[in-house]
Amino acid sequence: MAMLPTQQQLSAQNNAVKGIQELVEAGLTHVPRNYIRPAEERPCLSLVSDKEQVPIINLTGFYGENRERLIQEIGRACEEWGFFQVIGHGVTPSVIENFWAAAINFFQLPPDDKLRFLSEDVRSEVAYITSHNRTKEKVAEWKDTLYFRRLSGVFNGFKQAPEMCREAVLEYMKEITILANAIYKAIFLSLGLSSDYLQKTLPEFQRIVLGINYYPPCPDPDLTFGISGHSDITCLTILTQNDVPGLQVMKNGKWVAVKPVPGSFVVNLGDQTEVRVVFCCESIVMEHPSSSSVLNSHKIVDVLLPHFWFDVVAVPKLSDIIKREIQEH
């Protein structure tokens, strides 16, 4: 006979998984031990360059007279950086604004309301987590995240989003997906592949994940990371920043700060795409929690960083395509 957990047990569980946001808002004045990086892994801003700039590509005219030039710009950015920023992308400003407002509203909910979505199962359609993977990581990351996941023909977590932000999330997802498809095809067109060839061989995105990372103010940001150095295993990542700096990318073995550009999206080639296009450089992303803040109409928000991951789940398809291309060339 199964027994339901008591209210006391539920409260204990909730306290055990309390997000870093709740700890900070409760008056946290130091970095907890489980968030402190080993000395050799801690942030070192003196090693981060702000003299270089991740390429900024204005996509205005992408479907018109500027198409060929822009495709080549995207190709160069992929080859030299593996990252670039896009402006003039066509995503409706009001859709972006509504999405940001909805995201902020979610993180302003009482802790118990957010914990209703608590899940560390990667198959969850909607999941709220703190850090990255509490059960496996040795050092926690200074962030809380709300995830939405869609797997074509299986489930669609965007339709299961909390009611207070569902409409904004769906509209945002629809427009970002259009942008992602255009950029992804442009990457391969820059290699000289024809549109007909891509239509026949390039798999559609089968898995789409939206993660909204919240990085609260850190009392000592020299001890920890919002997200430590990593590469994305996806095909493509599209993310947006507010005006608080902190995002860093690696180029030629050195970290480079990504300066926030109003209205832009940052595009990151993932590992799956790098397997597909031999010329791509190794892409690594690092996010550093800043102690500065952004004032909105309700409260202080340190960093809120939404990012979309686009995947081709059926990786064997990519292998078949690569083998076929080798045979044909």
Side-chain angles (χ1 to χ4, degrees), residues 119-256:
S119 174
E120 293 185 341
D121 187 341
V122 297
R123 297 165 296 182
S124 297
E125 299 177 42
V126 180
Y128 170 70
I129 65 171
T130 186
S131 188
H132 178 67
N133 188 326
R134 295 179 307 104
T135 59
K136 295 183 179 180
E137 61 196 5
K138 294 181 180 179
V139 183
E141 296 184 332
W142 196 269
K143 69 183 178 90
D144 296 331
T145 304
L146 176 64
Y147 282 112
F148 305 97
R149 300 181 176 95
R150 191 197 79 178
L151 183 60
S152 295
V154 181
F155 58 77
N156 187 347
F158 295 98
K159 293 183 178 180
Q160 307 303 321
E163 187 174 352
M164 43 81 70
C165 62
R166 187 177 305 154
E167 183 178 351
V169 165
L170 286 169
E171 286 298 314
Y172 189 69
M173 187 273 288
K174 181 170 64 176
E175 295 205 16
I176 294 293
T177 302
I178 293 172
L179 174 63
N181 279 314
I183 291 174
Y184 197 56
K185 289 177 181 177
I187 291 169
F188 295 103
L189 288 171
S190 73
L191 295 171
L193 301 176
S194 69
S195 296
D196 289 342
Y197 178 81
L198 295 181
Q199 189 69 28
K200 295 176 183 177
T201 61
L202 194 63
E204 294 294 325
F205 293 125
Q206 295 167 314
R207 185 177 71 133
I208 300 176
V209 180
L210 166 61
I212 308 172
N213 290 347
Y214 178 85
Y215 308 93
C218 182
D220 193 346
D222 291 332
L223 297 178
T224 189
F225 281 110
I227 298 181
S228 56
H230 68 283
S231 62
D232 287 348
I233 63 173
T234 58
C235 286
L236 198 70
T237 301
I238 296 181
L239 61 88
T240 181
Q241 305 180 85
N242 56 16
D243 58 359
V244 180
L247 180 65
Q248 302 162 9
V249 302
M250 182 169 280
K251 183 189 180 190
N252 299 329
K254 296 182 178 179
W255 291 108
V256 177

Side-chain angles (χ1 to χ4, degrees), residues 33 41-42 60 95 100 116 130 140 159 168 180 219 235 250 253 267 281:
R33 181 176 299 178
E41 297 179 8
R42 293 175 189 173
T60 301
V95 169
W100 276 94
R116 291 192 298 112
T130 186
K159 293 183 178 180
C235 286
M250 182 169 280
V267 180
C281 60

